[in-house]
Amino acid sequence: MAGKSKKKPVWKGQKRNALGLPFTFTKYILYDNKLVIRKGFLNITEDEVELYKVKDKQLKISLLGRIFNYGTISIYASGVYNCDNVLKNVHTADSQGHPVFRCRRCQLRPA
């Protein structure tokens, strides 16, 4: 449609191997209202998580991750069949600077 403009992503990332190199076919795209996880080369699977459904976030960084500056972010959301969405081995995965942790809609609310 010519009248509608596509939303610009807040952040784009890609899964990395053990040495921090992006030689995989998994891409992560964060918009202001949703997170899209796109996997595959020939058969593509795309999962979307609405950010208002996020219940909890977790960050795991291994020793190699600290050396090569990558880590795994787990996002737990309500109301979806796959409750744990994992952003595996993303670059610059720290809880202060990563856009998933800074996203306004993804802020945790008291129950």
Side-chain angles (χ1 to χ4, degrees), residues 22-109:
F23 294 140
T24 61
F25 296 105
T26 302
K27 296 185 189 299
Y28 309 110
I29 305 168
L30 177 68
Y31 295 96
D32 61 348
N33 61 344
K34 66 182 175 180
L35 172 69
V36 177
I37 301 172
R38 187 178 176 138
K39 301 175 187 176
F41 178 65
L42 296 176
N43 296 327
I44 297 173
T45 304
E46 193 170 283
D47 290 328
E48 289 186 6
V49 179
E50 299 292 332
L51 294 182
Y52 72 89
K53 294 181 179 181
V54 172
K55 285 187 167 184
D56 198 11
K57 298 172 279 193
Q58 181 183 34
L59 172 65
K60 293 180 186 176
I61 302 176
S62 65
L63 179 62
L64 275 177
R66 284 197 241 161
I67 294 170
F68 294 108
N69 196 19
Y70 68 87
T72 298
I73 300 172
S74 298
I75 297 175
Y76 303 98
S78 64
V80 292
Y81 70 94
N82 185 9
C83 292
D84 53 337
N85 295 286
V86 178
L87 282 68
K88 191 165 178 71
N89 297 339
V90 292
H91 188 61
T92 62
D94 57 343
S95 60
Q96 285 81 29
H98 200 277
V100 171
F101 290 98
R102 288 191 326 233
C103 185
R104 186 175 301 142
R105 289 186 185 229
C106 201
Q107 298 298 322
L108 300 179
R109 294 166 203 82

